[in-house]
Amino acid sequence: MNTFELFRMKLMSDNMSKAVRTADKIEKKIQSLELNGLFRVKGKYVTLCDKGTAFGKIRQIELNGEAKKWLVKDEDIIKWQTAVFSLLLINDFFDLDLELAQDWDIAMLRDKEPLFFNVMLSINDNVESWTNLDPITQREVMIIFDAIDNSKYFIHSINRYFTDPEGNDIDQDYKNHLLARL
């Protein structure tokens, strides 16, 4: 890369590739929400969101104070909104009152200026509404939330959702159903 033009072309292609990868990740989350009969809720396969409606509904989610403070990039905002939307759907389908846990990765620069790096989103498992759930419901809730919010890693760690504490396989039909469709 010995000319500025080559450097500029590479920079543009890298940024376009990043934009395409970001859009693909968001599209995969949307497809998981809208895929017909993908997830199991109380023993029945359900569709969480009607086809073509998830993205519009996700974008209507208002940011909370912490999210307003730190989230600037659209992809970060959509990631946060998707997690909140997923949890709202889970609460509705299971008739629950679960909360979102937000772990903000903020660093302090030398001049004491805070800098946002990332936010890890999960279901708050330190509240009574979570601890009172039976293990089967907890597992179904986590499968839905993790498959949508963290779909890239979900497939790699899917076995942990389908083994009991003793390491025995459970619910292999549901596991195979998810593997085939995700």
Side-chain angles (χ1 to χ4, degrees):
M1 208 178 335
N2 52 4
T3 69
F4 179 74
E5 284 303 311
L6 286 172
F7 169 75
R8 187 164 78 82
M9 286 183 355
K10 180 170 178 2
L11 186 62
M12 287 174 55
S13 69
D14 287 350
N15 287 332
M16 280 194 252
S17 295
K18 182 181 177 198
V20 168
R21 284 192 303 273
T22 299
D24 286 347
K25 285 180 190 175
I26 292 169
E27 183 181 32
K28 188 167 185 178
K29 291 179 185 211
I30 302 303
Q31 288 173 344
S32 297
L33 284 163
E34 296 178 345
L35 194 56
N36 184 35
L38 177 61
F39 296 112
R40 208 164 66 187
V41 173
K42 299 178 183 176
K44 295 181 182 174
Y45 287 99
V46 301
T47 303
L48 299 180
C49 203
D50 292 333
K51 199 99 177 132
T53 62
F55 189 75
K57 290 177 181 178
I58 286 168
R59 295 302 281 163
Q60 291 175 359
I61 301 285
E62 293 286 328
L63 300 179
N64 69 9
E66 204 72 6
K68 280 182 188 174
K69 181 177 178 180
W70 296 112
L71 302 179
V72 177
K73 295 180 186 174
D74 264 348
E75 57 261 32
D76 292 333
I77 292 169
I78 292 171
K79 175 185 172 186
W80 187 89
Q81 289 173 317
T82 303
V84 171
F85 182 69
S86 302
L87 191 57
L88 289 172
L89 289 175
I90 288 168
N91 281 337
D92 187 46
F93 273 100
F94 287 94
D95 195 27
L96 300 172
D97 192 25
L98 300 174
E99 301 170 6
L100 187 67
Q102 304 171 70
D103 185 16
W104 296 92
D105 189 6
I106 310 294
M108 284 296 201
L109 300 176
R110 286 186 180 162
D111 62 357
K112 304 290 186 210
E113 181 73 25
L115 178 67
F116 167 75
F117 281 105
N118 192 19
V119 59
M120 295 299 295
L121 305 167
S122 60
I123 293 174
N124 189 347
D125 58 3
N126 293 324
V127 292
E128 192 175 328
S129 57
W130 176 259
T131 56
N132 287 341
L133 290 176
D134 64 281
I136 292 171
T137 303
Q138 284 181 345
R139 186 171 61 86
E140 286 186 358
V141 165
M142 290 308 298
I143 286 169
I144 294 170
F145 187 84
D146 289 350
I148 294 166
D149 188 57
N150 212 355
S151 54
K152 176 181 174 185
Y153 301 104
F154 178 77
I155 292 298
H156 297 296
S157 64
I158 196 166
N159 288 333
R160 77 179 176 98
Y161 299 93
F162 295 96
T163 54
D164 63 16
E166 290 82 40
N168 301 315
D169 291 342
I170 53 172
D171 211 356
Q172 291 301 298
D173 290 339
Y174 187 25
K175 176 183 172 183
N176 293 336
H177 168 82
L178 287 171
L179 283 172
R181 303 208 58 209
L182 283 173

